Amino acid sequence: MAPGTTGSDAYGTDPFKVECVHALATWWDGIELWITGLPFVPQSIVVLLVSVPAAFLLAWAFDGVLAGVLHLLGRDAHAERDTTEVVSDPSITEGS
């Protein structure tokens, strides 16, 4: 860096971050070009081998996050089942 500079450009971006994003974009472009250069059947197989597990992992992660949030709010399946058991106990509702 030159003396008197802060290590960022006029927009305040870090050159290291810009280089990392550029490297990632270049890598992704290479992957896209490789996949689009394949014939249709191998292209479909590669896309399915990547997208199906990725979709499964993403759904699993969302399920876990949602279950945690609902548990914190007391709206999960366990809380509902416990409430139903207490309300359906006849000794509580009959008053005896």
Side-chain angles (χ1 to χ4, degrees), residues 3-14:
T5 61
T6 61
S8 61
D9 61 5
Y11 299 105
T13 55
D14 183 12

Side-chain angles (χ1 to χ4, degrees), residues 77-89:
H78 299 294
E80 185 177 323
R81 186 174 357 131
D82 294 341
T83 306
T84 307
E85 290 173 5
V86 171
V87 171
S88 64
D89 186 9

Side-chain angles (χ1 to χ4, degrees), residues 54-65:
F56 176 79
L57 289 173
L58 188 63
W60 178 75
F62 280 150
D63 182 54
V65 168

Side-chain angles (χ1 to χ4, degrees), residues 4-58:
T5 61
T6 61
S8 61
D9 61 5
Y11 299 105
T13 55
D14 183 12
F16 178 72
K17 290 180 183 177
V18 172
E19 289 176 23
C20 288
V21 170
H22 180 67
L24 180 66
T26 303
W27 172 80
W28 185 252
D29 286 343
I31 298 295
E32 284 181 331
L33 288 172
W34 175 73
I35 290 173
T36 57
L38 292 173
F40 178 74
V41 173
Q43 186 182 83
S44 300
I45 291 170
V46 167
V47 168
L48 286 174
L49 286 175
V50 172
S51 63
V52 169
F56 176 79
L57 289 173
L58 188 63

